[in-house]
Every structure is written in C-alpha cells, then in structure tokens.
Amino acid sequence: MINRRSVLRRGGVALGVGLGGMGLSSLGIGGLDFASAAAADPLAGVDPELRAGAATVLAMGAKLSPLTTARLPILRAGGAAMAGPLRADVPVEARKIAVGPGIPDVTVQVINASSGAGSRASGGPRPAILHTHGGGFVAGSALAERGYLQDFAHALDCVIVSVEYTLAPEARFTRSVAETYAGLRWLHDQAEALGVDRRRLAVMGESAGGGHAALLAIQARDRGEVPLVLQVLTYPMLDDRTGSTVMPPPGIGKLGWDAQANRFGWESFLGATPGSRAVPAAGVPARCARLAGLAPAFIAVGGIDLFVDEDITYARRLTDAGVPTELLVIPGAYHGFDRVVPDASPSCRLIAARLAALRRAFGQPAG
C-alpha cells in the first residue's frame, strides 16, 4: 500500500496519489529493469514523445560537460538564443527598483500591467505572479523569459513581474535572494499602480527559479509582509545534497542537468561545498527546518529529472507540515522537457495542471 509517507520511486507506470488538499499527484512506479536499461542508455527511460528533444538535449549537454566557470559564457549565450518571440497583445515594460543598502537597483520585467485599469474579464484588479527564472543559479535571464511569461499572463489575465537577479558566481545567494524579495515587496506595494489585487499574489519559478520561489515563500512567511496564495515550483532546485552527498540512481538526472552541473551551481550560489556542514541553510529550501505556515504549493517534476527525489521529499514535508500541496511527477520526463518539446502530451499535461493550480488559487473559473 502506498500512502503519503511511503518511499516513492520512479518508472514507467503512472499512479494517482493524493498529497495535501489541492489535488492528485501522478507518480511513476518502476523497478530494476528500468534502472538497468537506463544505466546503459540515457534515452531508455524517456517517454517516446520526448525522445527527439532528449537527443537534442544530450548533444547540447556534451558541449558543456563538465560545467565550469570557463564554460558559463557558452551556457548563458545558449539560453539567450532560445528566447521566444514577444506577443503584440501583452505589454512588457522594464523597470528599475530599489533593493536595499549596499545593493544596486535591480531590473524587473513587468508583464501585462494595466496601470490600475483592472482585468479585461471583470474590470477589477488582477491577480499577479512574482517570477524567478531558471538556469542553475548561474545562467538564464528575466529578459529571455518575457515571451514565455506573456503566454501565462494572457491565459490567466494576470500581471507578472520577473526579477533580473544577479547570477552566481558573480554574486552569492544573499544578494540574489535580496533582489527577488525586493521584487515581491515592490509588486505588493505597487499593487494599485499596476492594477493588481494584493490578496491574490503567487510566486513561480522553474529549476533554480523554483528554488528561488521556494526561498521567497519562506521569506514571505517569516517576514509577514506579503501574503501569498500559492508557490508554483516547476522541477525546482531545492537541495544542495543532490549529486554531492546524495547520488541519483542509474538513469536519473542524465538529461538537461546532471550531478556535476548541480554541484557547480550550488557551490557558485552558496560559496560553500555542496553537502557540507559549511552550507548556509538560509540559501537552501530543503534545509529549512520548519515548513509549517508556508503558502500552498504546486510542485511538478519529471520522473527521470535529477531533482525528482528532492522534489518528492519536499512535497511530503510540506504535506506533513499541514501545507496544502499538489505534486505532479511525469513518468519518462527529463529536466526542462516542457520547454524543449512543449506540444508533447507529457508537456501539455504539466502546463494544464500548472495553469489549473493557479486558477484555483486566484479564484478563477477552470480554463
């Protein structure tokens, strides 16, 4: 019998299991045959609809492995080149906002703000999302995510603010966390000017951005300044111990982001050896000792993503702490699969579930 305290593994058969009060999770259950095959062939466990994209991801990864400071320009340039086109029907504006003493102003991309005019659907203020981009803490940009976020803003009739936080290793977590929290506080404080309903604010991020969003949810709880209705964590990077003191099983974490890259990303972000006693707990969501009182969570991850175990564990801890949590694990899906093959059915499943979670949190009708 599988319950919320079970040790959950991944594989090729989907099983629905409820976690928390917000919905159903789909978990892959597999065995030794999968592990053996995946160890020999990194594509063995990949969903057939995601295989073409997986081959592309493998080829790109080969150019960056092992990930080092010297290779960061290649990674960053590649991410910038993948930015999608902008929509003409959703406005975007770059703004500079104050962070705090000793830290320069940070740029935020403001998407779909209505200058107080309100929602196209109701005429009232819109819900809003504070977004933090992915890139292993060492790459990515809010600028490159504008087209991606315009689609969210259009689908949800909401405002999105995305923070151009300073990347590691140029800056450690204390600076980027200060910048992202400044963005969240600014969104809350400027609600009327942006046409935002400050009672309907969410944080959202993918990969390292999911880690930043989780840290924001913790800070929002601890500071008590900005109430949140949801934290949306897509294959979030939550635990520095993955790939250092905790190694993934065969076939897990071979595509999109691997153990070596994870160690590099966390060391760059924290300024300490991942998995060691020197790691500052304030920079690692999984090391937060108390999760009670956090905003409800939606967590999604692929079944062969490096982060699958840490994300399942975090969802279980949130649930045990009384935080309403929805967990979705997509069998045969690797890191970033929904961005690589967005029209594949596993990707559509994630995209639809994430939008549904946000609509429920915002009190909007189902799409």
Side-chain angles (χ1 to χ4, degrees), residues 12 15 136 277 282 303 315:
L15 174 67
R277 293 184 178 181

Side-chain angles (χ1 to χ4, degrees), residues 18-365:
L19 282 183
M22 294 183 64
L24 295 178
S25 56
S26 178
L27 302 176
I29 308 299
L32 294 177
D33 290 343
F34 164 72
S36 299
D41 176 7
L43 299 181
V46 176
D47 183 286
E49 290 192 59
L50 302 175
R51 283 198 165 214
T56 301
V57 169
L58 275 176
M60 293 174 61
K63 299 177 181 178
L64 292 167
S65 185
L67 185 58
T68 62
T69 303
R71 288 192 170 99
L72 274 183
I74 302 172
L75 178 62
R76 292 174 178 178
M82 293 177 65
L86 298 185
R87 301 176 62 121
D89 57 345
V90 177
V92 178
E93 178 188 7
R95 298 281 296 273
K96 286 275 191 180
I97 67 169
V99 178
I103 302 178
D105 292 355
V106 67
T107 299
V108 295
Q109 298 293 331
V110 183
I111 297 165
N112 210 30
S114 53
S115 300
S119 162
R120 65 170 182 259
S122 66
R126 300 175 175 182
I129 298 169
L130 190 287
H131 176 260
T132 46
H133 68 79
F137 300 125
V138 297
S141 72
L143 187 68
E145 297 290 86
R146 292 175 301 165
Y148 169 71
L149 295 174
Q150 280 180 314
D151 289 340
F152 272 96
H154 184 267
L156 295 166
D157 189 21
C158 72
V159 176
I160 300 178
V161 172
S162 189
V163 183
E164 198 69 84
Y165 61 84
T166 307
L167 299 175
E170 290 88 340
R172 303 304 187 193
F173 78 95
T174 49
R175 175 167 173 174
S176 56
V177 167
E179 291 167 338
T180 57
Y181 187 79
L184 178 62
R185 190 182 59 230
W186 180 83
L187 172 58
H188 178 266
D189 293 347
Q190 296 297 314
E192 287 84 3
L194 298 171
V196 162
D197 180 357
R198 60 167 54 93
R199 298 168 301 177
R200 294 187 290 165
L201 301 182
V203 292
M204 179 177 79
E206 306 79 31
S207 192
H212 263 302
L215 289 171
L216 277 176
I218 293 167
Q219 285 218 336
R221 178 201 63 185
D222 292 348
R223 296 192 182 196
E225 298 173 326
V226 182
L228 299 175
V229 296
L230 190 65
Q231 50 178 317
V232 180
L233 315 178
T234 304
Y235 31 80
M237 187 173 175
L238 301 173
D239 196 336
D240 66 286
R241 292 162 290 200
T242 299
S244 53
T245 56
V246 179
M247 294 304 294
I252 304 300
K254 303 299 183 184
L255 293 164
W257 192 251
D258 62 18
Q260 184 276 327
N262 206 46
R263 292 191 298 272
F264 176 81
W266 277 112
E267 184 163 7
S268 299
F269 185 62
L270 299 171
T273 301
S276 72
R277 293 184 178 181
V279 166
V284 184
R287 290 181 180 259
C288 180
R290 185 178 68 89
L291 300 184
L294 292 180
F298 172 86
I299 301 175
V301 65
I304 57 173
D305 192 311
L306 179 70
F307 301 146
V308 63
D309 278 340
E310 66 186 64
D311 292 353
I312 290 171
T313 298
Y314 199 68
R316 176 184 56 76
R317 289 187 60 213
L318 287 169
T319 301
D320 289 349
V323 177
T325 301
E326 180 178 358
L327 171 66
L328 179 67
V329 181
I330 305 290
Y334 45 85
H335 195 66
F337 69 98
D338 60 312
R339 306 294 293 272
V340 178
V341 195
D343 296 326
S345 58
S347 303
C348 293
R349 183 178 170 196
L350 165 58
I351 293 165
R354 185 169 51 196
L355 286 174
L358 281 160
R359 288 192 177 104
R360 287 193 299 272
F362 291 157
Q364 297 175 335

